Amino acid sequence: MASGVGVHTALSAQDMLSVQGIMAQVVAFPSWELFAAQSQEYRDEVLPPSVTARVVVEAGTGLG
C-alpha cells in the first residue's frame, strides 16, 4: 500500500519480488480518508481480510 511518491517505490519492490517468484499486489491510496469512508465491502475487496502480510510505503517529510 502506498500513496504519492511511495507508489513508485512499491511498484519497484513488486517487480523485484516478481523476479523471485513472489506474488505481490500494489494498492495505491490517493486519499486514506476517502478509502476509510468507503463501505466495508469495498475495503474488503481492495484489502482482503485473508491477506495478513502487508507493507505500507509512505514518504516522510520534515517541516521547517
Side-chain angles (χ1 to χ4, degrees), residues 8-34:
H8 175 74
T9 302
L11 289 170
S12 294
Q14 180 187 35
D15 288 341
M16 288 188 272
L17 291 168
S18 177
V19 169
Q20 298 177 35
I22 300 170
M23 289 182 50
Q25 178 180 344
V26 174
V27 177
F29 283 89
S31 170
W32 293 93
E33 292 82 12
L34 289 176

